Amino acid sequence: MSDQPLTKVVVPAAGLGTRFLPATKTIPKEMLPIVDKPTLQYIVEEAVAAGVKDLILINGRGKSAIDDHFDVAFELETTLAERKKTADVELLKKISQMVNLCSVRQKQPLGLGHAVLCAKSLVGNDPFGVMLGDDMIDSAVPGILQLWRAYLKHQQGVIALMEVPPSQTHLYGIAAGEMLDDRTMKITKIVEKPKSNPPSNMAVIGRYVLPPKIFGILEQTERGVGGEIQLTDALATLQASDGLIGYRFEGIRHDAGDKVGYLIANIAFAMKRPELKAGLLDYLRTVVAAEGRAK
Ligand code: G1P
């Protein structure tokens, strides 16, 4: 049981990406690059590193570039091979062989809970992961694997938690409960984007491992915040009936759905690349010095 792998993850990607207009007029927001890789590829790589074989993408109209990215690019690979660009051919082959990807259309923009529900028949009767593309987790052990291990241990749904400043609690699902150890919370309350009186400052970050029972709950969940079917509301029901674990994951989280967060993610990932680091640092130093002089 303890070495049972997580086999399936659901990645909701049907959003319009309005925060990144006009770039997202024709480019799905999940395809915006962090350095030179689409944001979504980082998420897929995290899933693959956790042992996941099947990725269920919930997408919408105008998102076919995502499916194409993880498919074989025959003409491009052939042209690159003719030009003896072997490394590039290998890079592209690796992407198309990464994972079995299947896409489901979310036909109405009814929220995250509804997006997850669209995966019901493809997930079947196993526990599964949910990974939100805006939340990037840079960690030694893949974020979703940390949650899966907690799921195996506790045999309850597990959600990722991170402390946020009190001024930001209205932007997240917020959970409160009893800490079982340094990282594990037995959740007793969870609310979506509380406008006032948040039960804590532990925010839900976009990684979840859920039992298939969540689908029946989602089918019964009424529209919540923003008129949408909220995953957090379904989690509150699951918590009341079966219990729910929060896991304060190890690693750095970048919010790629926010402009400053997206820019920071670009810098953070570029700094890990020896061929980019020196040039970037030089530039950042001149920016900091110029800002200092301007003060
Ligand atoms: C979603 C969830 C929210 C969670 C957040 C994490 O909100 O509904 O509970 O805290 O992701 O990024 P969104 O950011 O999609 O509005």
Side-chain angles (χ1 to χ4, degrees):
M1 189 71 187
S2 63
D3 55 4
Q4 183 191 341
L6 173 67
T7 52
K8 292 176 185 172
V9 298
V10 175
V11 180
L16 294 174
T18 49
R19 274 197 270 178
F20 282 85
L21 280 170
T24 46
K25 184 178 175 190
T26 55
I27 303 168
K29 99 175 152 170
E30 296 76 10
M31 292 303 292
L32 295 179
I34 305 283
V35 187
D36 49 12
K37 242 192 317 194
T39 318
L40 186 64
Q41 193 177 326
Y42 290 83
I43 306 291
V44 173
E45 286 175 355
E46 179 188 324
V48 171
V52 170
K53 300 274 181 275
D54 295 309
L55 197 124
I56 301 159
L57 188 77
I58 312 299
N59 65 12
R61 288 178 66 79
K63 296 272 186 157
S64 53
I66 301 179
D67 297 83
D68 290 346
H69 182 74
F70 292 97
D71 194 1
V72 176
F74 181 75
E75 292 87 350
L76 182 57
E77 285 174 30
T78 309
T79 308
L80 290 170
E82 281 166 9
R83 293 182 188 168
K84 308 266 181 289
K85 301 258 187 197
T86 326
D88 288 337
V89 174
E90 286 313 308
L91 181 80
L92 295 182
K93 281 216 161 81
K94 229 173 119 186
I95 299 169
S96 59
Q97 290 163 359
M98 216 167 249
V99 76
N100 299 323
L101 184 136
C102 63
S103 298
V104 188
R105 279 277 176 110
Q106 183 183 15
K107 294 179 184 152
Q108 291 167 284
L110 290 181
L112 179 58
H114 179 255
V116 172
L117 185 53
C118 291
K120 180 183 174 189
S121 59
L122 286 170
V123 168
N125 214 19
D126 292 317
F128 64 102
V130 177
M131 300 175 75
L132 305 189
D134 283 348
D135 287 321
M136 306 181 65
I137 296 181
D138 186 11
S139 56
V141 178
I144 194 73
L145 183 57
Q146 296 180 42
L147 266 63
W148 175 240
R149 288 176 179 163
Y151 183 94
L152 290 175
K153 185 168 172 196
H154 297 277
Q155 295 294 317
Q156 282 179 9
V158 181
I159 63 176
L161 293 180
M162 185 182 96
E163 213 168 329
V164 295
S167 60
Q168 290 181 14
T169 49
H170 66 287
L171 301 172
Y172 295 93
I174 299 290
E178 176 201 341
M179 291 309 287
L180 301 177
D181 60 40
D182 191 33
R183 298 207 173 271
T184 319
M185 180 193 277
K186 179 178 185 292
I187 294 176
T188 51
K189 194 168 174 54
I190 177 165
V191 281
E192 179 68 3
K193 303 194 176 117
K195 285 202 177 76
S196 58
N197 302 321
S200 81
N201 64 340
M202 292 300 272
V204 180
I205 299 302
R207 298 290 182 279
Y208 311 74
V209 173
L210 301 173
K213 184 174 182 176
I214 198 74
F215 293 119
I217 297 176
L218 281 166
E219 280 165 344
Q220 304 294 322
T221 302
E222 309 269 324
R223 294 185 190 212
V225 174
E228 296 185 338
I229 298 171
Q230 297 292 348
L231 181 58
T232 304
D233 293 344
L235 292 173
T237 307
L238 182 70
Q239 181 272 318
S241 62
D242 293 46
L244 184 67
I245 294 293
Y247 192 77
R248 213 170 53 78
F249 57 93
E250 168 277 320
I252 297 169
R253 177 254 186 175
H254 296 292
D255 181 2
D258 167 79
K259 279 179 195 149
V260 172
Y262 175 77
L263 294 170
I264 292 173
N266 270 282
I267 294 171
F269 283 99
M271 290 293 286
K272 289 169 179 269
R273 300 265 292 263
E275 78 280 19
L276 304 178
K277 185 174 173 174
L280 182 59
L281 259 184
D282 273 352
Y283 175 67
L284 291 176
R285 283 197 191 101
T286 61
V287 173
V288 172
E291 282 295 309
R293 280 195 301 275
K295 274 191 186 146

